[in-house]
Amino acid sequence: MPELPEVEIVKQSLDRKIKQKKIQKVIIKNRNLRFKIPMKFEESLNNRSVKKITRFSKYIILEFSNSTFCIIHLGMSGTIHLIRKHKKINTNTSFYNSPNLPFKHNHVEIYFRDIKMVYNDPRRFGFFKLIKNKKNLNEHFNHLGPEPFFRLFNIIYVYNYFKNKKKNIKNFLLDQKFVSGIGNIYASEILYLCKINPLKKAKNLSKEDCKKIIYFSKLVLKKAIKDGGSTIRNFRNVSGHSGLFQKKFNVYQREGLNCLDNNCTGIIKKKTISKRSTFFCNKCQK
DNA sequence: AAGAGGCCCTGATAGC
DNA sequence: TGCTATCAGGGCCTCT
């Protein structure tokens, strides 16, 4: 599910709805995520105020008032929902108005005064991780390359990185050590706009190719963010609604259909590259 | 060192 | 209907 744009959508909502709020209660329904949620998790978060919410690559980072952090990763199938608390009229009780979604696999529930945040992850590839201080936080991201939006992701970096590299360009777009935030969907979409064949070896890419990769990586991710991300199977924003960018896919899941470039008579092909499905035009992507 | 491959896990869908 | 096989948006680890 979640590549950089989807994670950014979630991050923006968290920023609007839980920033500066205090955690009143944490309930773990299931500790089994990629890393087991430790027993001390609840206690560590209790009474903490969420000072700041940031994102790096596909990771959401909650910063608390005592300068500790919590890194959240959504894995393949993780979703975060924010559910508003309602007061029942004429009683002292309250209830949560759940969006219309099955929630078999809720793992984490974090309660704020007026809202609860629910983390749900059927495949359990995601995680919550408590981080003691800024230094430990930085260590966590040291091995990751720049996001496409960073100034460091420039022609010199990309062109030099590709020198002598035999691996194909599709794999590099998915390689978080090279560039972080792009996933399997956007890799195909980016290469289509670049008119570069996903199997092309990185060392054979020209400077012009590299410039296109930089330009379209930014463009595709920005547009996807603007459209609220992409929903293929289960991505939902924190209110339970789908993204819209999947309607604008040029190649992803368009196997057998015509290339959308008016000047091209090609057909979109699907090919498995390193165990990941890859979509491309057989004619205009050279 | 770079690159290929396996593995973690559940659910939806396709095919028989 | 009900079984089995395949595939899914990520990332880490190991082996060569």
Side-chain angles (χ1 to χ4, degrees):
Chain A
M1 160 188 104
E3 305 182 29
L4 187 153
E6 290 73 31
V7 178
E8 173 64 19
I9 294 305
V10 172
K11 181 249 157 184
Q12 287 177 7
S13 298
L14 294 180
D15 201 52
R16 281 196 301 272
K17 295 180 180 171
I18 66 165
K19 193 163 72 176
Q20 305 300 351
K21 289 182 184 172
K22 191 172 163 185
I23 295 172
Q24 296 187 334
K25 183 173 63 172
V26 178
I27 295 178
I28 308 296
K29 300 265 187 180
N30 184 345
R31 293 185 187 274
N32 296 316
L33 288 175
R34 194 160 102 211
F35 310 115
K36 194 156 189 145
I37 298 173
M39 296 303 287
K40 60 167 194 198
F41 184 85
E42 295 93 311
E43 192 196 316
S44 304
L45 291 195
N46 263 341
N47 293 319
R48 295 271 162 257
S49 286
V50 181
K51 192 169 141 197
K52 205 171 169 186
I53 298 135
T54 49
R55 179 194 57 71
F56 177 69
S57 184
K58 304 171 190 173
Y59 302 82
I60 291 168
I61 302 149
L62 306 183
E63 180 178 351
F64 302 111
S65 44
N66 63 342
S67 291
T68 61
F69 303 86
C70 179
I71 300 176
I72 305 171
H73 193 278
L74 304 178
M76 285 274 234
S77 57
T79 48
I80 288 177
H81 283 86
L82 294 175
I83 303 169
R84 195 163 288 283
K85 189 176 182 178
H86 295 269
K87 273 251 182 304
K88 276 188 187 167
I89 299 166
N90 296 333
T91 72
N92 287 325
T93 56
S94 58
F95 65 97
Y96 289 91
N97 195 9
S98 282
N100 183 22
L101 288 162
F103 260 6
K104 196 174 156 193
H105 293 283
N106 286 353
H107 285 81
V108 181
E109 296 186 349
I110 299 178
Y111 288 76
F112 298 89
R113 180 182 50 78
D114 60 337
I115 220 164
K116 77 167 167 176
M117 171 180 150
V118 179
Y119 179 78
N120 177 288
D121 188 0
R123 285 177 79 182
R124 299 198 233 142
F125 286 161
F127 64 82
F128 278 62
K129 205 170 200 176
L130 294 175
I131 305 290
K132 270 183 266 177
N133 54 47
K134 189 102 185 177
K135 185 169 162 274
N136 290 17
L137 184 72
N138 291 336
E139 279 167 8
H140 211 274
F141 300 118
N142 270 346
H143 64 290
L144 295 176
E147 288 185 6
F149 301 128
F150 292 2
R151 210 177 293 168
L152 204 65
F153 191 64
N154 57 38
I155 182 65
I156 298 166
Y157 171 77
V158 173
Y159 191 69
N160 285 337
Y161 200 97
F162 285 167
K163 271 182 191 161
N164 303 320
K165 297 288 201 303
K166 290 176 193 153
K167 206 163 65 165
N168 65 63
I169 179 59
K170 163 76 185 320
N171 274 338
F172 271 113
L173 290 185
L174 292 183
D175 183 346
Q176 308 294 304
K177 286 195 287 296
F178 164 61
V179 60
S180 62
I182 298 172
N184 198 43
I185 293 178
Y186 296 117
S188 283
E189 293 299 319
I190 290 163
L191 289 175
Y192 170 79
L193 293 175
C194 295
K195 296 195 183 294
I196 296 172
N197 189 293
L199 287 168
K200 192 161 180 178
K201 288 187 170 81
K203 64 174 184 173
N204 293 336
L205 292 167
S206 66
K207 271 200 172 154
E208 280 310 306
D209 287 333
C210 295
K211 280 183 188 168
K212 283 183 197 166
I213 287 165
I214 294 164
Y215 176 79
F216 286 114
S217 294
K218 292 181 217 268
L219 189 81
V220 167
L221 297 186
K222 262 187 207 161
K223 284 192 168 181
I225 292 169
K226 213 173 163 194
D227 277 343
S230 305
T231 298
I232 297 307
R233 355 179 87 74
N234 61 10
F235 173 70
R236 295 289 185 277
N237 64 24
V238 297
S239 310
H241 297 121
S242 298
L244 293 174
F245 192 72
Q246 68 279 5
K247 295 176 195 292
K248 298 187 182 171
F249 287 164
N250 286 301
V251 287
Y252 194 83
Q253 289 189 333
R254 292 196 67 252
E255 185 185 15
L257 300 176
N258 292 334
C259 177
L260 291 174
D261 186 330
N262 288 334
N263 300 318
C264 179
T265 56
I267 304 289
I268 305 307
K269 298 288 176 193
K270 179 180 175 178
K271 188 174 171 59
T272 301
I273 300 177
S274 300
K275 305 249 175 196
R276 313 299 299 275
S277 57
T278 308
F279 297 82
F280 61 100
C281 172
N282 65 346
K283 213 162 187 178
C284 67
Q285 286 181 254
K286 308 278 187 203

